Amino acid sequence: MNAPAPLAAFTIRNVEPEDLEEILAHRRLMFEDMGYSDEIMLAEIVESSRPRIRKYLAEKSYRGWFALASDGRVAAGAGLLITEHVSGPLSPSQTRRAYLLNVYTYAEFRRQGLARQLTQRAIDWCQAEGYKVLWLHASEYGRPLYQSMGFEQTNEMKLIL
């Protein structure tokens, strides 16, 4: 087994509109890693997400970052979606919501701190933009990372209709 590459071996860059297909690949692979295997459903996620993410990238309400390996391959990515939202007690004057999504690391690059580094990049961006809260839905695999970075469980619930 190869030793992990040092973080210095990776560079971080902002995602661009032409990165749409890579972002969609991360979204699909993320769900596959969570145990979803229905090919039709996974393909539908990609197809229904494509026009929305394309629009969000164009209007800059989707921000994202890729970690690039020394050979230029995308090793990991993370996205941030800024949406209009009603305010609440955690940030009474904020009417936009920052939501972390599409955090994904290709298997060969895991356990090297890339998801942490990209999540921190999103946190730093949110702080610089004046956001008081960053939201996400964590998989069981991601939860320990996010908890170690200070994310807390909330009172959110869901009803599947």
Side-chain angles (χ1 to χ4, degrees):
M1 180 176 190
N2 294 338
L7 284 178
F10 297 92
T11 57
I12 306 295
R13 75 162 173 84
N14 293 341
V15 301
E16 301 293 336
E18 56 269 16
D19 294 317
L20 174 64
E21 293 306 316
E22 184 74 26
I23 293 166
L24 291 168
H26 290 192
R27 187 153 184 81
R28 180 190 172 110
L29 291 165
M30 178 185 67
F31 287 120
E32 284 181 15
D33 284 355
M34 284 188 254
Y36 294 97
S37 59
D38 180 326
E39 288 295 323
I40 294 171
M41 181 265 300
L42 292 166
E44 189 173 341
I45 287 172
V46 169
E47 291 309 310
S48 66
S49 296
R50 181 176 282 112
R52 303 306 305 174
I53 294 175
R54 180 183 292 122
K55 175 183 184 280
Y56 299 148
L57 284 163
E59 66 190 22
K60 298 195 183 296
S61 59
Y62 186 101
R63 303 293 177 138
W65 301 269
F66 285 156
L68 304 177
S70 59
D71 63 3
R73 287 182 297 153
V74 174
L80 190 61
L81 183 60
I82 307 302
T83 59
E84 294 297 319
H85 204 269
V86 294
S87 61
L90 296 176
S91 185
S93 63
Q94 185 62 255
T95 59
R96 295 183 310 151
R97 184 178 195 179
Y99 184 84
L100 184 67
L101 73 165
N102 297 340
V103 178
Y104 185 76
T105 303
Y106 286 102
E108 68 188 277
F109 298 108
R110 291 184 182 157
R111 314 296 302 161
Q112 298 183 54
L114 295 174
R116 179 178 299 277
Q117 188 175 2
L118 292 169
T119 298
Q120 188 60 55
R121 182 69 61 107
I123 292 168
D124 293 344
W125 186 91
C126 287
Q127 288 174 325
E129 294 294 317
Y131 288 91
K132 305 293 183 208
V133 183
L134 175 57
W135 299 88
L136 64 81
H137 285 91
S139 70
E140 69 176 276
Y141 308 109
R143 192 167 287 114
L145 166 70
Y146 301 125
Q147 288 174 330
S148 77
M149 297 183 78
F151 285 83
E152 302 172 6
Q153 296 240 357
T154 70
N155 61 351
E156 240 176 46
M157 298 174 67
K158 69 180 176 185
L159 173 64
I160 298 175
L161 303 173

Short mmCIF file of all heavy atoms in Angstrom, two decimals, residues 21-44:
data_model
loop_
_atom_site.label_atom_id
_atom_site.label_comp_id
_atom_site.label_asym_id
_atom_site.label_seq_id
_atom_site.Cartn_x
_atom_site.Cartn_y
_atom_site.Cartn_z
N GLU A 21 -19.76 18.26 -15.13
CA GLU A 21 -19.84 16.79 -15.18
C GLU A 21 -19.05 16.15 -14.04
O GLU A 21 -19.46 15.12 -13.51
CB GLU A 21 -19.39 16.27 -16.54
CG GLU A 21 -20.33 16.66 -17.68
CD GLU A 21 -21.79 16.28 -17.45
OE1 GLU A 21 -22.05 15.14 -17.00
OE2 GLU A 21 -22.66 17.11 -17.73
N GLU A 22 -17.95 16.74 -13.65
CA GLU A 22 -17.18 16.21 -12.51
C GLU A 22 -17.98 16.36 -11.21
O GLU A 22 -18.02 15.45 -10.39
CB GLU A 22 -15.83 16.92 -12.39
CG GLU A 22 -14.95 16.36 -11.30
CD GLU A 22 -14.32 15.01 -11.66
OE1 GLU A 22 -14.13 14.71 -12.85
OE2 GLU A 22 -14.02 14.25 -10.72
N ILE A 23 -18.65 17.48 -11.05
CA ILE A 23 -19.50 17.70 -9.87
C ILE A 23 -20.62 16.66 -9.84
O ILE A 23 -20.90 16.06 -8.79
CB ILE A 23 -20.08 19.13 -9.87
CG1 ILE A 23 -18.95 20.15 -9.68
CG2 ILE A 23 -21.15 19.29 -8.80
CD1 ILE A 23 -19.36 21.59 -10.01
N LEU A 24 -21.24 16.42 -10.99
CA LEU A 24 -22.30 15.42 -11.06
C LEU A 24 -21.77 14.02 -10.78
O LEU A 24 -22.45 13.22 -10.12
CB LEU A 24 -22.98 15.47 -12.43
CG LEU A 24 -23.81 16.73 -12.70
CD1 LEU A 24 -24.18 16.81 -14.18
CD2 LEU A 24 -25.04 16.78 -11.81
N ALA A 25 -20.57 13.72 -11.24
CA ALA A 25 -19.97 12.41 -10.94
C ALA A 25 -19.77 12.25 -9.44
O ALA A 25 -20.07 11.19 -8.87
CB ALA A 25 -18.64 12.25 -11.68
N HIS A 26 -19.30 13.30 -8.78
CA HIS A 26 -19.12 13.24 -7.33
C HIS A 26 -20.46 13.00 -6.64
O HIS A 26 -20.54 12.20 -5.69
CB HIS A 26 -18.52 14.55 -6.80
CG HIS A 26 -17.10 14.74 -7.19
ND1 HIS A 26 -16.33 15.72 -6.62
CD2 HIS A 26 -16.31 14.10 -8.08
CE1 HIS A 26 -15.12 15.67 -7.15
NE2 HIS A 26 -15.08 14.70 -8.05
N ARG A 27 -21.49 13.67 -7.10
CA ARG A 27 -22.81 13.52 -6.48
C ARG A 27 -23.28 12.07 -6.58
O ARG A 27 -23.74 11.48 -5.62
CB ARG A 27 -23.81 14.47 -7.13
CG ARG A 27 -25.14 14.52 -6.45
CD ARG A 27 -25.83 15.85 -6.66
NE ARG A 27 -27.07 15.89 -5.90
CZ ARG A 27 -27.16 16.16 -4.61
NH1 ARG A 27 -26.08 16.42 -3.91
NH2 ARG A 27 -28.32 16.16 -3.99
N ARG A 28 -23.15 11.50 -7.75
CA ARG A 28 -23.56 10.11 -7.95
C ARG A 28 -22.72 9.15 -7.10
O ARG A 28 -23.25 8.28 -6.41
CB ARG A 28 -23.46 9.73 -9.42
CG ARG A 28 -23.87 8.29 -9.68
CD ARG A 28 -23.53 7.85 -11.10
NE ARG A 28 -23.76 6.42 -11.21
CZ ARG A 28 -24.74 5.88 -11.90
NH1 ARG A 28 -25.59 6.63 -12.57
NH2 ARG A 28 -24.88 4.57 -11.94
N LEU A 29 -21.42 9.29 -7.16
CA LEU A 29 -20.52 8.41 -6.42
C LEU A 29 -20.72 8.52 -4.91
O LEU A 29 -20.61 7.53 -4.19
CB LEU A 29 -19.06 8.70 -6.80
CG LEU A 29 -18.69 8.30 -8.22
CD1 LEU A 29 -17.37 8.95 -8.63
CD2 LEU A 29 -18.62 6.79 -8.35
N MET A 30 -21.04 9.71 -4.45
CA MET A 30 -21.32 9.91 -3.03
C MET A 30 -22.51 9.04 -2.61
O MET A 30 -22.44 8.35 -1.59
CB MET A 30 -21.61 11.40 -2.81
CG MET A 30 -21.98 11.81 -1.41
SD MET A 30 -22.44 13.58 -1.36
CE MET A 30 -23.95 13.58 -2.33
N PHE A 31 -23.57 9.05 -3.41
CA PHE A 31 -24.74 8.23 -3.08
C PHE A 31 -24.43 6.74 -3.21
O PHE A 31 -24.91 5.94 -2.41
CB PHE A 31 -25.94 8.63 -3.93
CG PHE A 31 -26.54 9.95 -3.52
CD1 PHE A 31 -26.61 11.01 -4.41
CD2 PHE A 31 -27.02 10.15 -2.23
CE1 PHE A 31 -27.15 12.22 -4.04
CE2 PHE A 31 -27.56 11.36 -1.85
CZ PHE A 31 -27.62 12.41 -2.76
N GLU A 32 -23.63 6.36 -4.20
CA GLU A 32 -23.23 4.96 -4.33
C GLU A 32 -22.48 4.51 -3.07
O GLU A 32 -22.73 3.42 -2.55
CB GLU A 32 -22.35 4.76 -5.55
CG GLU A 32 -23.11 4.78 -6.85
CD GLU A 32 -22.22 4.55 -8.06
OE1 GLU A 32 -21.06 4.11 -7.90
OE2 GLU A 32 -22.68 4.82 -9.18
N ASP A 33 -21.58 5.35 -2.59
CA ASP A 33 -20.82 5.01 -1.39
C ASP A 33 -21.71 4.90 -0.16
O ASP A 33 -21.37 4.21 0.80
CB ASP A 33 -19.72 6.04 -1.12
CG ASP A 33 -18.53 5.87 -2.03
OD1 ASP A 33 -18.50 4.90 -2.82
OD2 ASP A 33 -17.62 6.72 -1.96
N MET A 34 -22.87 5.55 -0.19
CA MET A 34 -23.82 5.46 0.92
C MET A 34 -24.68 4.22 0.81
O MET A 34 -25.55 3.99 1.65
CB MET A 34 -24.69 6.71 0.98
CG MET A 34 -24.01 7.92 1.54
SD MET A 34 -25.18 9.27 1.80
CE MET A 34 -24.76 10.34 0.44
N GLY A 35 -24.47 3.43 -0.24
CA GLY A 35 -25.21 2.17 -0.36
C GLY A 35 -26.35 2.20 -1.35
O GLY A 35 -27.04 1.18 -1.52
N TYR A 36 -26.57 3.31 -2.04
CA TYR A 36 -27.62 3.35 -3.05
C TYR A 36 -27.09 2.71 -4.33
O TYR A 36 -26.05 3.11 -4.83
CB TYR A 36 -28.06 4.80 -3.32
CG TYR A 36 -28.73 5.44 -2.14
CD1 TYR A 36 -28.01 6.26 -1.27
CD2 TYR A 36 -30.07 5.21 -1.87
CE1 TYR A 36 -28.62 6.85 -0.17
CE2 TYR A 36 -30.69 5.79 -0.77
CZ TYR A 36 -29.95 6.61 0.07
OH TYR A 36 -30.56 7.19 1.16
N SER A 37 -27.80 1.70 -4.82
CA SER A 37 -27.29 0.97 -5.98
C SER A 37 -28.26 0.91 -7.16
O SER A 37 -27.91 0.36 -8.20
CB SER A 37 -26.92 -0.46 -5.56
OG SER A 37 -28.06 -1.12 -5.04
N ASP A 38 -29.44 1.49 -7.02
CA ASP A 38 -30.41 1.48 -8.10
C ASP A 38 -29.90 2.38 -9.23
O ASP A 38 -29.90 3.61 -9.11
CB ASP A 38 -31.76 1.97 -7.57
CG ASP A 38 -32.86 1.99 -8.61
OD1 ASP A 38 -32.57 2.26 -9.80
OD2 ASP A 38 -34.02 1.76 -8.24
N GLU A 39 -29.47 1.75 -10.33
CA GLU A 39 -28.86 2.49 -11.44
C GLU A 39 -29.82 3.52 -12.05
O GLU A 39 -29.40 4.60 -12.44
CB GLU A 39 -28.39 1.52 -12.53
CG GLU A 39 -27.17 0.74 -12.13
CD GLU A 39 -25.93 1.61 -11.94
OE1 GLU A 39 -25.74 2.59 -12.70
OE2 GLU A 39 -25.15 1.31 -11.02
N ILE A 40 -31.09 3.18 -12.13
CA ILE A 40 -32.08 4.10 -12.69
C ILE A 40 -32.21 5.33 -11.81
O ILE A 40 -32.21 6.47 -12.29
CB ILE A 40 -33.44 3.39 -12.90
CG1 ILE A 40 -33.29 2.32 -13.98
CG2 ILE A 40 -34.53 4.40 -13.27
CD1 ILE A 40 -34.48 1.41 -14.13
N MET A 41 -32.30 5.12 -10.50
CA MET A 41 -32.42 6.24 -9.56
C MET A 41 -31.17 7.11 -9.60
O MET A 41 -31.25 8.34 -9.63
CB MET A 41 -32.67 5.70 -8.14
CG MET A 41 -32.83 6.77 -7.08
SD MET A 41 -31.31 7.16 -6.20
CE MET A 41 -30.87 5.61 -5.47
N LEU A 42 -29.99 6.49 -9.61
CA LEU A 42 -28.74 7.25 -9.64
C LEU A 42 -28.63 8.08 -10.92
O LEU A 42 -28.22 9.25 -10.88
CB LEU A 42 -27.55 6.32 -9.48
CG LEU A 42 -27.41 5.65 -8.11
CD1 LEU A 42 -26.41 4.50 -8.17
CD2 LEU A 42 -27.01 6.67 -7.04
N ALA A 43 -29.01 7.49 -12.04
CA ALA A 43 -28.99 8.22 -13.31
C ALA A 43 -29.98 9.38 -13.28
O ALA A 43 -29.69 10.47 -13.81
CB ALA A 43 -29.29 7.28 -14.47
N GLU A 44 -31.12 9.16 -12.66
CA GLU A 44 -32.12 10.22 -12.56
C GLU A 44 -31.62 11.37 -11.69
O GLU A 44 -31.88 12.54 -11.99
CB GLU A 44 -33.43 9.66 -11.99
CG GLU A 44 -34.57 10.64 -12.07
CD GLU A 44 -35.91 10.02 -11.68
OE1 GLU A 44 -36.04 8.78 -11.69
OE2 GLU A 44 -36.82 10.80 -11.36
#
